[in-house]
Amino acid sequence: MRRFTLRTGIRWKITLAIAAVGALTAVALSLVVHSAARVSMLESARDQQLERVQFIARNADAGRKPPMGAKLNDPELPTELRHKVQSGRRGTYIQDTPKGIPEVWAAVPLGNGQVLSLHLPFRESVNMVRDLDRALLVGSLAVVVGGSALGVLIGGQISSRLRKAAAAAQRVAHGDPEVRVRDAVGGVVRDETDDLARAVDAMADALQQRLEAERRVTADIAHELRTPVTGLLTAAELLPPGRPTELVRDRAQAMRALVEDVLEVARLDSASERAELQDVALGEFVSRRVSSLMPEASVRVVADEIVSTDPRRLERILGNLLANAARYGQPPIQVDIEGRVVRVRDHGPGFPEALLREGPSRFRTGSTDRAGVGHGLGLTIAEGQARVLGARLTFRNVAAPGGAEYEGAAAGAVAVLWLPEHAPTATGSFPIVQLPG
């Protein structure tokens, strides 16, 4: 079963956390204030009622008639309060009513054995409590809204810094050695984002140094091998005709091709290659090159377009894609041109899963046979040349009819070259090709 995940930004997570904490704090404080205010008002009402009934009791002892509201031996007097007063003590009592407005009772014993009581509704205090509750509600909403705004502000700053760091890291991953994540993050406030940026910069520098060292070693080895391999080819031409001579020449040619490919890969890895741009009609150019490189391949121009590109590098990409299709695929091989998109398809077993998942890898082929079927640099060079052109090279397999792979014969592999709308600049910065969909 696929695990459900909710993807959201750190800005909204911080906002939600601050809003939740603010809401919980406001609710807790509101409950405490409401309860304390109500208890305080009830206690004040009890004291006032008790003072009133005591004042009335002193007048009643002097022979005066009790004022309105005060009663002698009131039959509605609550039982608990009646028992307390009959025992010779004065007291108060809060009685709930069906209307929700409590009544405050106060009663005192008189000298003749009678009970004087007074009760009034707690109406004004209830209104005060409601006003207090309304004020607490407005204050709580203000706290939540203010906290949310603060969370959006703080989270937005953090999110912006992280997005800048991610964009800079992607530029580093695409081969721009001049980018520094810490400089891209910027800002006056220093936090953990700067530590992350510093660590990414250190890692990028270490990887760049290691890759540069490996590239130099590879280039030096290939360059040193070029001279003896050239001498070996020259010596092979002087050998007498025969099968052994043909084998020597064939292996020497393969070694020379390998040395040249390794040197080309080293130059592409250095990110110093620049395209020499020309305006070419893509459909016509590809048709002529394919007819000379692989006459048996079919070419279909759906839509022609004038593009600004490097013809030599574009021809190199086409040649490697066609060679890979001929070596590992099966005929027929089709080349389609549609605007700025070039597709090369064969009808073989398709690309390996590792290549589809990770991209081309040098010295790794799609065949387990190591007896001379290639050294795995063709697609690597094609991808590197595409980067120089500011293009993007993608690989996929064609789904077989019915959604399943053929038994014994796959539906084929497709390499797609997406040329950019704007050519790379003279400084080597490459536009990003937006893929449809």
Side-chain angles (χ1 to χ4, degrees):
M1 297 179 61
R2 296 185 62 182
R3 186 176 180 181
F4 175 77
T5 57
L6 180 62
R7 183 179 179 85
T8 183
I10 190 173
R11 170 190 298 180
W12 303 115
K13 292 179 180 178
I14 294 177
T15 302
L16 181 60
I18 294 178
V21 173
L24 291 176
T25 304
V27 169
L29 291 177
S30 298
L31 292 176
V32 171
V33 171
H34 170 83
S35 177
R38 190 173 187 276
V39 170
S40 177
M41 291 180 183
L42 286 175
E43 291 298 328
S44 178
R46 283 174 181 265
D47 295 338
Q48 291 179 5
Q49 286 291 80
L50 189 57
E51 290 178 0
R52 290 175 184 174
V53 77
Q54 287 177 342
F55 178 76
I56 296 173
R58 287 194 294 268
N59 292 335
D61 290 339
R64 298 176 183 177
K65 183 180 179 180
M68 293 182 63
K71 295 182 180 180
L72 293 173
N73 300 323
D74 189 351
E76 296 181 0
L77 185 66
T79 305
E80 295 181 4
L81 183 57
R82 184 188 302 274
H83 291 164
K84 184 177 182 180
V85 175
Q86 287 177 351
S87 64
R89 296 179 295 171
R90 63 179 183 268
T92 59
Y93 185 83
I94 303 298
Q95 184 180 30
D96 294 328
T97 62
K99 295 182 180 180
I101 301 177
E103 290 187 345
V104 181
W105 286 81
V108 294
L110 299 178
N112 55 6
Q114 292 181 331
V115 176
L116 179 65
S117 62
L118 176 67
H119 68 95
L120 292 174
F122 191 63
R123 185 174 291 109
E124 294 182 359
S125 299
V126 168
N127 293 334
M128 292 178 61
V129 171
R130 289 177 180 174
D131 293 340
L132 177 62
D133 291 341
R134 191 177 297 110
L136 290 174
L137 178 60
V138 173
S140 300
L141 292 177
V143 169
V144 173
V145 173
S148 299
L150 182 62
V152 171
L153 179 61
I154 297 176
Q157 292 179 350
I158 297 176
S159 178
S160 176
R161 290 166 63 84
L162 291 177
R163 290 182 186 277
K164 291 179 180 178
Q170 287 182 352
R171 292 177 60 187
V172 172
H174 289 161
D176 191 345
E178 303 299 327
V179 176
R180 288 296 176 266
V181 178
R182 189 179 181 187
D183 295 338
V185 170
V188 178
V189 179
R190 298 300 179 184
D191 53 17
E192 289 80 359
T193 308
D194 296 276
D195 298 335
L196 174 63
R198 191 180 297 106
V200 173
D201 289 339
M203 179 184 66
D205 291 338
L207 290 176
Q208 185 67 26
Q209 292 176 2
R210 179 175 297 181
L211 292 175
E212 181 64 19
E214 293 179 356
R215 186 194 65 80
R216 288 180 179 178
V217 169
T218 303
D220 292 342
I221 293 176
H223 191 272
E224 292 298 327
L225 286 176
R226 175 184 283 180
T227 301
V229 169
T230 302
L232 181 61
L233 281 172
T234 303
E237 295 295 333
L238 302 177
L239 295 176
R243 181 60 179 169
T245 301
E246 294 178 0
L247 292 177
V248 170
R249 290 175 181 175
D250 180 69
R251 292 298 88 191
Q253 290 286 356
M255 185 176 296
R256 181 177 182 178
L258 174 59
V259 170
E260 295 297 332
D261 287 347
V262 170
L263 284 174
E264 186 172 359
V265 170
R267 289 194 301 269
L268 293 173
D269 287 343
S270 66
S272 60
E273 295 286 286
R274 297 293 178 263
E276 298 177 3
L277 302 177
Q278 297 181 20
D279 292 337
V280 298
L282 186 60
E284 179 184 357
F285 177 85
V286 173
S287 299
R288 287 191 284 107
R289 293 301 184 271
V290 171
S291 62
S292 62
L293 294 173
M294 186 177 291
E296 64 273 16
S298 61
V299 180
R300 182 169 67 104
V301 180
V302 179
D304 200 358
E305 187 170 343
I306 303 297
V307 297
S308 180
T309 187
D310 189 330
R312 180 181 64 84
R313 299 182 188 278
L314 180 57
E315 182 177 2
R316 177 65 163 157
I317 295 173
L318 288 173
N320 285 11
L321 294 180
L322 292 172
N324 183 82
R327 181 176 292 118
Y328 301 106
Q330 296 178 5
I333 297 175
Q334 303 172 354
V335 180
D336 296 337
I337 303 97
E338 185 175 355
R340 298 176 177 274
V341 181
V342 180
R343 296 180 177 87
V344 179
R345 177 187 176 182
D346 62 65
H347 291 73
F351 291 115
E353 291 297 329
L355 186 143
L356 297 177
R357 184 175 59 254
E358 304 171 4
S361 179
R362 62 196 65 180
F363 301 109
R364 185 176 65 185
T365 66
S367 174
T368 58
D369 183 12
R370 307 298 294 176
V373 295
H375 40 73
L377 293 180
L379 295 183
T380 302
I381 293 174
E383 188 178 49
Q385 295 289 5
R387 286 197 303 270
V388 176
L389 296 179
R392 181 175 297 180
L393 186 60
T394 61
F395 306 93
R396 65 181 178 87
N397 291 332
V398 179
E405 297 292 338
Y406 284 122
E407 294 294 337
V414 179
V416 185
L417 178 66
W418 310 78
L419 291 173
E421 184 176 358
H422 302 286
T425 64
T427 59
S429 62
F430 305 127
I432 297 177
V433 180
Q434 298 293 338
L435 302 184

